[in-house]
Amino acid sequence: MATRVLQLSVYLIGVCLFSICILVFVNATVSFVITDLLHQKKNVGDAAGTLGFADELLALVACPFWGLLSDRIGFRLVIVMGYAIIAASLFVLVQATNVYPQLLLARLFFSLGASCASTMVTAILPSMVSKARSTAGQRQSTDSSAQTLVRTSQDPRHAHLSGFVGLFTGIGALLALGAFLPIPNRLQRLGMTPEKALADTYYIVAATALLVALACYCGFRATSINSSERSHDSASTQSVTQRTTNTFSYIPTVLKLGVTQPSLGLGFLASFVARSSSIGITLFIPLYVNASLCGNPASGIEDVKAHCREAYLMAAQLSGVSQVFALVFAPVFGYFPLRHRHFNIPLTVATLSGATGYILFARMHTSKMTPSSLAIMALLGVSQIGTIVHSLSLVSSFVTEEKRTAKDAGTNDAVADAVDDHEETTQLLDSDNNHSAFETHEHLKGTIAGVYSFAGSLAILILTKLGGVLFDRLGAEAPFYLLCLFNLILLFAVVTCGVLELYKKTPGRK
């Protein structure tokens, strides 16, 4: 029990909280690195967008790679490697003297570690749920047309733990905005120059990443959940070995499942919107405030620096409000039923909040905090956390869903009786059973997590580059219209899936 609590604590705090905390910090300060450290005052939006674009371009490859690697060697070593890379990259990043190529290469180095940490948030979640699963009987259903017996998990633990993941990621974002982001301003008050204050802040965050890597190494020790899943007996070990020799074949399998299984496909699409919302709040809101409050780039440098101190605080306030509401609503979405009849109500609420919030923010002036700006940021926070929690819940539920294909419809009753006699998922996977074993997608959980992160990275890739260009050419509000479009696409998908399912279950239809 104590080991279980330790592992869960390390996962929620070390993986979920600090991975988002560091990512938010870097995204929120990248424009200040360009303006304060490198003294570039023109085309800041395009530079920041290009850095983000390159970051996510690498993440498109890195996320599936880290997922596949965790399926092979376990997530313990993978997450430690990720945080070690993050720590080194943060140190290197503030040594840059120009945007291209030095800052770009440093940001790519950071992307390698950040993609690892974000992928492990999803990859570890199904393992935590499966180990906490009770031995009580689960609901079973028989699909006579496909002759498939499926133990679909309407297990609320998926949504509940996803809610806690959302809660701790919200705390992580809040920690970045409330503790890390104001540090440069505080150091400047102590007499430091803006350049040194920002660099020292990066050193502090790098040291934090090293401490988190050590905590993950000790917390997910060799006797933990990480290794026990892969060492039941020699037969199962041989099976795992056979699977991992062809691990790259998992990616086409997972992509096919994303197309053929609505719950997984919707989870991937929700990841797309969730990650784009996160980058919109952490990158484009500070960039928007920076452009609004830092004045004309042609102004005297001292005037720009004075206004940029206000931009630090204003960006922290706006983003902080959204993260506070995300923090409050994380457990609400976690305990909200995953489905209501045929429609996913939580995702519907989240996407409507996002579409409305981004339209209103694009028309809002950010010279000071007002009740209307507070309400708008609340909508953005609710949208962000809703898509995060329920995208994770959809994917986690799919990974641990148990099913078997019977040879004929007459064997289904016998299979159902056999299932009731088993208590552990691993027992159901015994190939020597008289009946064919129940199967889950847990051996694909790392790859599914990689594709899940890939979907988010693709969204960020589009948003950061296209949004950065639109920021400079059409105006600071342009990226927020793009974010509204993403939310509307997800809303359309949610409603479409609900309508199709309702149509299939209409009396008289098979």
Side-chain angles (χ1 to χ4, degrees), residues 88-117:
S89 66
L90 290 175
F91 178 83
V92 171
L93 196 144
V94 290
Q95 311 306 317
T97 57
N98 54 57
V99 176
Y100 309 110
Q102 294 183 14
L103 187 60
L104 176 61
L105 291 175
R107 182 61 187 261
L108 290 175
F109 191 30
F110 172 79
S111 175
L112 192 62
S115 62
C116 174

Side-chain angles (χ1 to χ4, degrees), residues 111-448:
S111 175
L112 192 62
S115 62
C116 174
S118 62
T119 300
M120 290 304 101
V121 170
T122 311
I124 299 173
L125 177 60
S127 297
M128 291 292 171
V129 174
S130 65
K131 288 298 178 181
R133 185 183 301 165
S134 68
T135 60
Q138 296 176 324
R139 302 178 70 182
Q140 304 174 7
S141 62
T142 301
D143 183 347
S144 57
S145 61
Q147 297 179 343
T148 300
L149 181 62
V150 181
R151 283 173 58 167
T152 31
S153 96
Q154 293 296 332
D155 190 347
R157 288 178 179 81
H158 293 284
H160 294 175
L161 186 54
S162 296
F164 279 107
V165 171
L167 178 65
F168 277 83
T169 55
I171 293 174
L174 201 57
L175 179 64
L177 298 169
F180 288 155
L181 193 57
I183 289 177
N185 187 55
R186 293 170 184 170
L187 293 179
Q188 287 182 52
R189 291 180 180 178
L190 296 177
M192 288 188 181
T193 63
E195 295 86 348
K196 181 171 175 53
L198 188 58
D200 285 356
T201 303
Y202 268 74
Y203 299 148
I204 292 171
V205 179
T208 302
L210 285 177
L211 292 176
V212 174
L214 179 61
C216 290
Y217 182 81
C218 296
F220 296 127
R221 58 188 181 278
T223 57
S224 72
I225 178 177
N226 183 46
S227 62
S228 63
E229 290 180 338
R230 309 191 314 275
S231 58
H232 294 297
D233 51 50
S234 59
S236 63
T237 301
Q238 182 179 5
S239 176
V240 171
T241 303
Q242 292 172 349
R243 290 198 303 264
T244 55
T245 57
N246 297 308
T247 48
F248 279 96
S249 67
Y250 288 179
I251 294 179
T253 300
V254 170
L255 292 175
K256 181 179 179 181
L257 289 171
V259 174
T260 59
Q261 302 296 320
S263 61
L264 185 61
L266 201 58
F268 289 158
L269 184 57
S271 170
F272 183 101
V273 175
R275 289 290 301 278
S276 64
S277 295
S278 297
I279 205 72
I281 292 173
T282 58
L283 174 61
F284 281 103
I285 287 180
L287 195 59
Y288 183 82
V289 173
N290 198 7
S292 300
L293 297 183
C294 286
N296 190 334
S299 305
I301 188 65
E302 294 303 321
D303 182 61
V304 171
K305 289 180 179 178
H307 283 87
C308 282
R309 276 190 214 105
E310 297 179 14
Y312 271 116
L313 298 177
M314 187 65 189
Q317 288 174 356
L318 287 173
S319 300
V321 168
S322 70
Q323 297 308 320
V324 167
F325 277 91
L327 190 66
V328 171
F329 277 86
V332 175
F333 277 106
Y335 280 84
F336 204 116
L338 184 62
R339 299 183 57 77
H340 179 72
R341 293 183 181 273
H342 307 292
F343 293 92
N344 195 313
I345 301 301
L347 272 181
T348 303
V349 172
T351 52
L352 283 173
S353 297
T356 304
Y358 286 117
I359 284 290
L360 294 176
F361 186 87
R363 300 172 178 271
M364 182 183 75
H365 297 288
T366 58
S367 58
K368 62 180 181 178
M369 289 292 291
T370 63
S372 62
S373 63
L374 183 68
I376 292 170
M377 297 311 298
L379 287 173
L380 299 186
V382 169
S383 173
Q384 179 190 12
I385 202 62
T387 51
I388 288 173
V389 168
H390 282 280
S391 64
L392 286 170
S393 185
L394 284 166
V395 170
S396 178
S397 298
F398 179 82
V399 167
T400 57
E401 177 186 81
E402 300 172 349
K403 68 178 182 179
R404 66 165 290 174
T405 301
K407 293 182 179 179
D408 54 76
T411 63
N412 285 338
D413 292 337
V415 171
D417 293 336
V419 171
D420 291 331
D421 294 333
H422 292 287
E423 294 184 348
E424 299 292 337
T425 301
T426 55
Q427 293 174 334
L428 295 174
L429 294 175
D430 184 4
S431 61
D432 294 330
N433 195 297
N434 291 332
H435 303 289
S436 49
F438 274 87
E439 295 179 349
T440 70
H441 296 97
E442 290 199 35
H443 67 286
L444 295 171
K445 65 179 179 291
T447 308
I448 289 175

